[in-house]
Coordinates of all heavy atoms in Angstrom, one line a residue:
G111 N -16.0 -39.0 -39.3 CA -16.6 -38.8 -40.6 C -18.0 -39.2 -40.7 O -18.7 -38.9 -41.8
S113 N -20.3 -38.9 -38.0 CA -21.0 -38.0 -37.0 C -21.6 -36.9 -37.6 O -21.0 -36.4 -38.7 CB -20.1 -37.6 -35.9 OG -19.4 -38.8 -35.3
N114 N -22.4 -36.3 -37.0 CA -22.9 -35.0 -37.3 C -21.7 -33.9 -37.1 O -21.2 -33.9 -36.0 CB -24.1 -34.4 -36.5 CG -25.4 -35.3 -36.9 OD1 -25.6 -35.5 -38.0 ND2 -26.2 -35.5 -35.8
T115 N -21.4 -33.2 -38.1 CA -20.4 -32.1 -38.0 C -20.9 -31.0 -38.8 O -21.8 -30.9 -39.3 CB -19.0 -32.5 -38.5 OG1 -19.2 -33.0 -39.9 CG2 -18.4 -33.8 -37.8
G116 N -20.2 -29.9 -38.6 CA -20.6 -28.7 -39.2 C -19.6 -27.7 -39.2 O -18.4 -27.9 -39.1
T117 N -20.0 -26.4 -39.5 CA -19.1 -25.3 -39.4 C -19.3 -24.5 -38.3 O -20.1 -24.9 -37.4 CB -19.3 -24.4 -40.7 OG1 -20.7 -23.7 -40.5 CG2 -19.3 -25.1 -42.0
R118 N -18.7 -23.3 -38.0 CA -19.0 -22.6 -36.9 C -20.3 -21.9 -36.9 O -20.9 -21.3 -36.1 CB -17.9 -21.5 -36.5 CG -17.6 -20.6 -37.5 CD -16.3 -19.7 -37.1 NE -16.1 -18.6 -37.9 CZ -15.6 -18.5 -39.2 NH1 -15.2 -19.6 -39.6 NH2 -15.4 -17.4 -39.7
R120 N -23.4 -23.7 -38.2 CA -24.4 -24.6 -38.0 C -23.9 -26.1 -38.2 O -23.2 -26.4 -39.0 CB -25.5 -24.5 -39.0 CG -26.6 -25.3 -39.1 CD -27.8 -24.9 -38.2 NE -28.8 -26.0 -38.2 CZ -29.4 -26.5 -37.1 NH1 -29.2 -26.0 -36.0 NH2 -30.4 -27.4 -37.3
V121 N -24.4 -27.0 -37.3 CA -24.3 -28.3 -37.4 C -25.6 -28.9 -38.1 O -26.7 -28.7 -37.3 CB -23.9 -29.0 -36.1 CG1 -23.9 -30.6 -36.3 CG2 -22.6 -28.7 -35.7
F122 N -25.7 -29.4 -39.2 CA -27.0 -30.0 -39.7 C -27.0 -31.5 -39.5 O -26.2 -32.2 -39.8 CB -27.0 -29.8 -41.3 CG -27.1 -28.3 -41.8 CD1 -26.0 -27.6 -42.2 CD2 -28.4 -27.7 -41.6 CE1 -26.2 -26.3 -42.5 CE2 -28.4 -26.3 -42.0 CZ -27.3 -25.7 -42.4
P123 N -28.1 -31.9 -38.5 CA -28.2 -33.3 -38.2 C -28.5 -34.0 -39.4 O -29.2 -33.6 -40.4 CB -29.2 -33.3 -37.2 CG -30.0 -32.1 -37.2 CD -29.0 -31.0 -38.0
Q124 N -28.1 -35.3 -39.6 CA -28.5 -36.2 -40.6 C -29.2 -37.4 -40.1 O -29.0 -37.9 -39.1 CB -27.2 -36.6 -41.4 CG -26.5 -35.5 -42.1 CD -25.7 -36.0 -43.3 OE1 -25.6 -37.1 -43.5 NE2 -24.9 -35.1 -43.7
D338 N -9.4 -25.4 -44.9 CA -9.4 -26.7 -44.6 C -10.8 -27.3 -44.7 O -11.4 -27.5 -43.7 CB -8.9 -26.8 -43.2 CG -8.8 -28.2 -42.6 OD1 -8.6 -29.0 -43.6 OD2 -8.8 -28.4 -41.3
D339 N -11.2 -27.5 -46.0 CA -12.7 -27.6 -46.2 C -13.3 -29.0 -45.9 O -14.4 -29.4 -45.9 CB -12.9 -27.3 -47.8 CG -12.4 -25.8 -48.1 OD1 -12.3 -25.0 -47.2 OD2 -12.4 -25.6 -49.3
D340 N -12.2 -30.0 -45.9 CA -12.4 -31.3 -45.6 C -13.5 -32.0 -46.5 O -14.5 -32.7 -46.2 CB -13.1 -31.6 -44.1 CG -12.0 -31.6 -43.1 OD1 -10.8 -31.9 -43.5 OD2 -12.3 -31.4 -41.9
L341 N -13.4 -31.7 -47.9 CA -14.3 -32.2 -48.9 C -13.8 -33.6 -49.4 O -12.8 -34.0 -49.1 CB -14.4 -31.3 -50.1 CG -14.8 -29.9 -49.8 CD1 -14.7 -28.9 -51.2 CD2 -16.2 -29.9 -49.3
Q381 N -12.2 -36.3 -43.4 CA -13.3 -35.5 -44.0 C -14.4 -35.3 -43.0 O -14.7 -36.2 -42.3 CB -13.8 -36.3 -45.3 CG -12.8 -36.3 -46.3 CD -13.0 -37.1 -47.5 OE1 -12.3 -37.5 -48.3 NE2 -14.4 -37.3 -47.7
S382 N -15.1 -34.3 -43.1 CA -16.4 -34.2 -42.3 C -17.4 -33.5 -43.2 O -17.3 -32.3 -43.6 CB -16.0 -33.2 -41.0 OG -15.9 -32.0 -41.4
H383 N -18.3 -34.4 -43.6 CA -19.3 -33.9 -44.6 C -20.4 -33.3 -44.0 O -21.0 -33.8 -43.0 CB -19.7 -35.2 -45.4 CG -18.6 -36.0 -45.9 ND1 -17.9 -35.6 -47.1 CD2 -17.9 -37.2 -45.6 CE1 -16.9 -36.3 -47.4 NE2 -16.9 -37.3 -46.5
N384 N -20.6 -31.9 -44.3 CA -21.5 -31.2 -43.4 C -23.0 -31.3 -43.9 O -23.9 -31.4 -43.2 CB -21.1 -29.7 -43.4 CG -19.7 -29.5 -42.8 OD1 -19.3 -30.4 -42.0 ND2 -19.1 -28.7 -43.1
V385 N -23.1 -31.4 -45.2 CA -24.5 -31.3 -45.7 C -24.8 -32.6 -46.5 O -26.0 -33.1 -46.7 CB -24.9 -30.1 -46.5 CG1 -25.0 -28.9 -45.6 CG2 -23.8 -29.7 -47.6
E386 N -23.8 -33.2 -47.1 CA -24.0 -34.5 -48.0 C -24.1 -35.7 -47.2 O -23.5 -35.7 -46.2 CB -22.8 -34.6 -49.0 CG -21.5 -34.6 -48.6 CD -20.8 -33.3 -48.1 OE1 -21.4 -32.5 -47.5 OE2 -19.6 -33.3 -48.4
P387 N -24.7 -36.8 -47.7 CA -24.8 -37.9 -46.9 C -23.5 -38.6 -46.6 O -22.7 -38.7 -47.5 CB -25.8 -38.8 -47.7 CG -25.7 -38.3 -49.1 CD -25.4 -36.9 -49.0
K388 N -23.2 -39.1 -45.3 CA -21.9 -39.5 -45.0 C -21.5 -40.7 -45.7 O -20.3 -40.7 -46.2 CB -22.0 -39.8 -43.5 CG -22.6 -38.7 -42.7 CD -21.6 -37.7 -42.2 CE -22.4 -36.5 -41.4 NZ -21.4 -35.5 -41.1
A391 N -20.7 -40.4 -49.4 CA -19.6 -39.4 -49.6 C -18.2 -40.3 -49.4 O -17.4 -40.1 -50.1 CB -19.8 -38.3 -48.6
W480 N -19.8 -33.3 -32.8 CA -18.8 -32.5 -32.0 C -19.4 -31.4 -31.3 O -18.7 -30.7 -30.5 CB -17.7 -32.1 -33.0 CG -18.2 -31.1 -34.0 CD1 -19.4 -30.5 -34.2 CD2 -17.4 -30.4 -35.1 NE1 -19.4 -29.6 -35.1 CE2 -18.1 -29.5 -35.7 CE3 -16.1 -30.7 -35.4 CZ2 -17.7 -28.8 -36.8 CZ3 -15.6 -30.0 -36.6 CH2 -16.5 -29.1 -37.3

Side-chain angles (χ1 to χ4, degrees):
S113 305
N114 286 328
T115 56
T117 64
R118 63 185 190 280
R120 170 92 185 138
V121 172
F122 292 101
Q124 294 205 7
D338 184 23
D339 306 339
D340 281 343
L341 300 178
Q381 292 175 196
S382 71
H383 307 285
N384 299 333
V385 288
E386 63 276 45
K388 312 274 175 183
W480 66 3

